[in-house]
């Protein structure tokens, strides 16, 4: 799927390198977080994760995607540009290397959790 098509989806899409660098982020997720695409590209995912979410990402999210190839329904809190936080429901998968690339990429689909 081409990135501009990802901008039309009703969920956030975040593509990470195997080294946890942001390779792509679609329009809905950028809008919810308030960052520009230029600011986020090639940044570590940890820029967006408050300390507790960093631990969860390293202990659960990343191992699930690396070892099982997928992640189903995990809550992650992300840091918005204005300093506030937004709770998201994340699912993801590993994408096999293409065109001679040495490492897989990881794609996360994210939806904001409604506040009750």
């Amino acid at each position: 799927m081409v990135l501009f098509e990802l901008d039309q989806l009703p969920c956030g899409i975040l593509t990470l390198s195997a080294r946890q660098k942001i390779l792509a982020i679609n329009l809905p997720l950028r809008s919810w977080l308030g960052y520009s695409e230029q600011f986020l590209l090639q940044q570590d995912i940890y820029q967006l994760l408050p300390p507790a979410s960093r631990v969860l990402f390293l202990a659960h999210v990343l191992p699930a995607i690396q070892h099982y190839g997928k992640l189903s329904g995990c809550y992650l809190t992300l840091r918005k540009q204005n300093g506030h936080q937004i709770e998201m429901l994340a699912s993801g998968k590993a994408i096999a290397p293409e065109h001679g690339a040495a490492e897989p990429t990881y794609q996360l689909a994210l939806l904001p959790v409604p506040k009750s």
Side-chain angles (χ1 to χ4, degrees):
M1 189 175 274
V2 180
L3 187 57
F4 71 87
E5 292 173 349
L6 296 177
D7 286 342
Q8 305 304 314
L9 294 174
C11 65
I13 300 292
L14 183 65
T15 304
L16 302 174
S17 71
R19 300 174 197 272
Q20 295 88 57
K21 299 278 187 190
I22 298 171
L23 300 176
I25 182 168
N26 74 338
L27 181 61
L29 187 54
R30 291 193 314 266
S31 297
W32 293 326
L33 298 176
Y35 292 101
S36 71
E37 183 176 29
Q38 294 77 20
F39 178 80
L40 290 173
L41 291 181
Q42 295 304 317
Q43 295 290 325
D44 288 330
I45 181 63
Y46 307 107
Q47 296 279 106
L48 298 177
L49 300 173
S53 283
R54 286 181 190 182
V55 171
L56 180 62
F57 187 84
L58 287 168
H60 179 67
V61 173
L62 198 55
I65 293 174
Q66 288 174 331
H67 298 295
Y68 303 110
K70 63 181 180 174
L71 169 75
S72 297
C74 176
Y75 290 102
L76 275 179
T77 301
L78 299 181
R79 185 180 299 120
K80 297 168 70 170
Q81 190 274 332
N82 65 10
H84 293 109
Q85 297 180 0
I86 182 170
E87 191 169 350
M88 309 287 272
L89 179 62
S91 291
K93 68 176 185 173
I95 300 172
E98 292 182 3
H99 310 295
E103 299 178 325
T105 56
Y106 309 128
Q107 197 162 63
L108 296 173
L110 299 133
L111 285 172
V113 175
K115 294 185 179 188
S116 45

